[in-house]
Amino acid sequence: MSGRSKRESRGSTRGKRESESRGSSGRVKRERDRERETEAPSSRGSPVRVKREVEPVSAREPPTPVVPPVRVKREREADEDSEPEREVRAKNGRVDSEDRRSRHCPYLDTINRSVLDFDFEKLCSISLSHINAYACLVCGKYFQGRGLKSHAYIHSVQFSHHVFLNLHTLKFYCLPDNYEIIDSSLEDITYVLKPTFTKQQIANLDKQAKLSRAYDGTTYLPGIVGLNNIKANDYANAVLQALSNVPPLRNYFLEEDNYKNIKRPPGDIMFLLVQRFGELMRKLWNPRNFKAHVSPHEMLQAVVLCSKKTFQITKQGDGVDFMSWFLNALHSALGGTKKKKKTIVTDVFQGSMRIFTKKLPHPDLPAEEKEQLLHNDEYQETMVESTFMYLTLDLPTAPLYKDEKEQLIIPQVPLFNILAKFNGITEKEYKTYKENFLKRFQLTKLPPYLIFCIKRFTKNNFFVEKNPTIVNFPITGQANGMNYKTSR
């Protein structure tokens, strides 16, 4: 009896420990252990076996918890009941919680439109990736992704910035809750990111010229908008801004449907030039801009890539060289060829001329030998038909000495005087390192828009010299005194 009382006391102590650790499941286990203790002396009289049963709890394996089957059944029943409730809500036409959040996002007042700038390259500010880029509408920075470990998600949690815009799908999202925001008040942001023009709006651009007011309060005239100088890209800005005010070229690029279906060979990057120029054109003519200036960052990056770093943002370049390359590259990217296939570029800027060339004898030869050479076929005048995108005009040589008042007077010349180069009569000598040629030019067809490039800079072995001669342009009235044999 004394041994049985000891076992009962130990069993009760063990039952208390199990009840503290396992709760309701321990009660069932403790009752089973008591039944085993009462059955042990009657069925198994061996004291050794009784001693093994009285071993401390720490020496044995912990018992597995027993889960009541009733609770599992109740949980399953609750889950099964919740599904029909959702279906009933959908059938009754009720809006669920996610739709209510999409329509009534509480964070729309945190959007700061004054810091939004979509003119720069669409890549994450941390991973520098173009894939799945989002713009934070609170601080204006770009981040990648929308998942739990994405940069946009971490930014939203860390800085409590909740409203994001997908830069490719133009959809708004609230993070970290990760639901789409549907609100008509955000349309002005998507229009700044991707402006669109209808045919009626394009036709009325020159008829209804009126000032627009930006978000910061400044007024501007669409199309007459400043381009930011990032570092040393002013030479390219001048050309891009001039081309954006040529109506046929502008109207073509304002409507993206004109060129988005042009097929290019696989791996061809030149079409990027067309896309970026179209985007820049639409931003320059956007009447609903947030600011009165545009940054040509993406356009210039496409120029650097397509020109293989011939023209860069960080180094000064020649505006005439850039314009010549850009017009020809744009024509080629649109699917044009040198002779047969035309594009909007050649329709607007391309003209034709005749070039008469005559080789001259070497000046150090005797006069008799010169006369004999002039009768050879090599020294006879030849004529070539050629096309052009722009005309280069030469200025008269600037005076080297001061006048009687000890001042350097800046000379002036009318535009018609320097245009005489293309009248088919005026000849000009061109020298190479071993031969001299005499050339004259005659225009045969003028384009709808004629580009003049006045050559002011000359290079020598020591420095670059600028000719300061002023060219007088006619502003009103018709030009007289020009005798050109041209045909349209």
Side-chain angles (χ1 to χ4, degrees):
M1 295 295 293
S2 61
R4 181 175 296 178
S5 62
K6 289 181 181 181
R7 285 195 302 271
E8 290 177 354
S9 62
R10 291 179 182 177
S12 61
T13 305
R14 184 179 60 201
K16 290 181 181 180
R17 293 177 182 176
E18 292 177 353
S19 62
E20 293 175 357
S21 60
R22 287 174 295 179
S24 59
S25 61
R27 296 175 185 175
V28 179
K29 183 68 176 177
R30 188 171 65 254
E31 291 175 359
R32 292 179 180 176
D33 292 339
R34 287 179 180 177
E35 292 175 359
R36 290 177 182 176
E37 290 175 359
T38 54
E39 294 175 359
S42 59
S43 60
R44 300 173 185 177
S46 175
V48 179
R49 293 187 179 182
V50 174
K51 187 175 181 180
R52 287 180 181 175
E53 292 177 0
V54 190
E55 288 180 353
V57 181
S58 59
R60 290 179 293 161
E61 295 180 0
T64 57
V66 178
V67 181
V70 180
R71 294 187 179 182
V72 177
K73 186 177 181 180
R74 288 178 181 175
E75 290 175 0
R76 289 178 180 175
E77 290 176 355
D79 292 340
E80 292 173 357
D81 292 339
S82 62
E83 294 298 331
E85 289 178 3
R86 295 178 185 175
E87 295 179 0
V88 171
R89 291 179 187 176
K91 290 180 180 179
N92 294 336
R94 298 179 183 177
V95 182
D96 58 3
S97 59
E98 185 174 356
D99 288 337
R100 285 197 298 270
R101 289 186 301 174
S102 299
R103 299 286 182 179
H104 305 283
C105 181
Y107 302 109
L108 295 184
D109 57 345
T110 62
I111 297 176
N112 188 3
R113 286 172 170 81
S114 60
V115 300
L116 299 182
D117 190 356
F118 302 117
D119 295 340
F120 294 93
E121 191 175 5
K122 309 300 187 297
L123 51 82
C124 176
S125 57
I126 298 176
S127 64
L128 302 180
S129 174
H130 297 81
I131 302 173
N132 205 14
Y134 288 79
C136 176
L137 302 185
V138 182
C139 63
K141 296 180 180 179
Y142 297 164
F143 298 96
Q144 185 183 18
R146 211 171 73 237
L148 294 178
K149 296 182 180 181
S150 63
H151 299 296
Y153 184 92
I154 296 173
H155 176 77
S156 67
V157 175
Q158 186 175 5
F159 295 96
S160 296
H161 295 175
H162 301 289
V163 187
F164 290 80
L165 169 63
N166 190 308
L167 297 173
H168 301 285
T169 63
L170 305 183
K171 292 183 179 181
F172 297 88
Y173 294 92
C174 180
L175 296 181
D177 296 339
N178 197 13
Y179 61 85
E180 183 181 354
I181 302 173
I182 303 173
D183 198 291
S184 59
S185 65
L186 303 175
E187 292 180 358
D188 60 334
I189 298 177
T190 57
Y191 193 84
V192 170
L193 174 59
K194 191 175 182 180
T196 55
F197 292 84
T198 62
K199 293 183 178 180
Q200 185 64 28
Q201 290 174 338
I202 295 174
N204 295 332
L205 283 178
D206 297 328
K207 299 177 182 178
Q208 301 175 356
K210 60 180 181 179
L211 293 174
S212 299
R213 185 176 295 275
Y215 180 78
D216 56 3
T218 58
T219 57
Y220 67 96
L221 189 64
I224 314 298
V225 180
L227 287 175
N228 292 346
N229 188 10
I230 299 173
K231 188 170 183 181
N233 57 289
D234 47 352
Y235 71 97
N237 287 358
V239 174
L240 295 174
Q241 206 160 25
L243 294 177
S244 67
N245 284 275
V246 179
L249 189 71
R250 173 201 65 191
N251 297 346
Y252 179 84
F253 280 97
L254 286 181
E255 192 173 355
E256 192 177 3
D257 293 337
N258 292 331
Y259 53 87
K260 70 177 182 180
N261 295 325
I262 295 177
K263 296 182 180 180
R264 300 295 302 169
D268 183 22
I269 62 172
M270 295 303 294
F271 194 71
L272 183 65
L273 207 64
V274 178
Q275 294 176 333
R276 294 291 180 259
F277 185 63
E279 292 174 2
L280 179 64
M281 197 77 72
R282 289 189 289 273
K283 290 178 180 178
L284 287 173
W285 286 91
N286 183 9
R288 296 160 56 184
N289 267 330
F290 286 168
K291 53 189 183 305
H293 56 86
V294 176
S295 178
H297 190 268
E298 287 186 297
M299 176 73 233
L300 294 175
Q301 282 190 321
V303 168
V304 174
L305 181 64
C306 296
S307 67
K308 299 180 180 179
K309 298 184 179 180
T310 303
F311 303 100
Q312 299 188 20
I313 304 175
T314 56
K315 294 181 181 180
Q316 284 289 349
D318 186 80
V320 178
D321 294 341
F322 171 72
M323 184 188 66
S324 176
W325 172 84
F326 182 73
L327 291 178
N328 286 283
L330 207 61
H331 169 68
S332 176
L334 289 171
T337 56
K338 290 184 178 180
K339 295 182 179 180
K340 294 182 179 180
K341 196 171 182 180
K342 294 185 177 181
T343 61
I344 184 64
V345 179
T346 55
D347 291 341
V348 174
F349 298 115
Q350 190 178 72
S352 60
M353 68 170 68
R354 293 173 182 168
I355 303 176
F356 299 90
T357 307
K358 183 169 60 175
K359 186 177 179 181
L360 297 177
H362 197 276
D364 296 338
L365 295 176
E368 296 178 357
E369 190 174 351
K370 287 182 181 180
E371 293 181 359
Q372 292 178 358
L373 292 175
L374 290 175
H375 294 287
N376 297 341
D377 293 339
E378 184 182 359
Y379 292 87
Q380 298 302 314
E381 188 177 61
T382 59
M383 188 270 292
V384 177
E385 292 279 351
S386 177
T387 58
F388 64 89
M389 290 285 190
Y390 61 92
L391 298 178
T392 304
L393 305 180
D394 301 321
L395 293 174
T397 305
L400 297 177
Y401 304 102
K402 296 182 180 180
D403 60 355
E404 55 185 7
K405 295 182 180 180
E406 296 296 326
Q407 294 178 353
L408 279 175
I409 298 177
I410 299 177
Q412 299 184 19
V413 59
L415 176 64
F416 312 118
N417 291 1
I418 57 178
L419 278 175
K421 172 183 177 182
F422 300 99
N423 60 5
I425 301 173
T426 305
E427 296 179 333
K428 185 178 180 181
E429 185 176 353
Y430 292 86
K431 297 181 179 180
T432 62
Y433 66 98
K434 64 177 182 178
E435 294 178 338
N436 297 341
F437 295 93
L438 200 64
K439 291 186 178 184
R440 58 190 178 94
F441 307 92
Q442 182 182 6
L443 300 178
T444 58
K445 181 183 177 182
L446 289 176
Y449 290 84
L450 185 60
I451 302 176
F452 293 144
C453 297
I454 300 175
K455 191 175 180 180
R456 291 188 177 274
F457 296 91
T458 56
K459 297 180 181 180
N460 53 32
N461 295 331
F462 303 100
F463 57 92
V464 178
E465 185 179 3
K466 180 181 178 181
N467 190 332
T469 302
I470 298 174
V471 179
N472 295 324
F473 289 83
I475 299 175
T476 58
Q478 295 183 353
N480 297 321
M482 298 182 66
N483 185 16
Y484 291 138
K485 296 180 181 179
T486 60
S487 62
R488 292 295 298 273

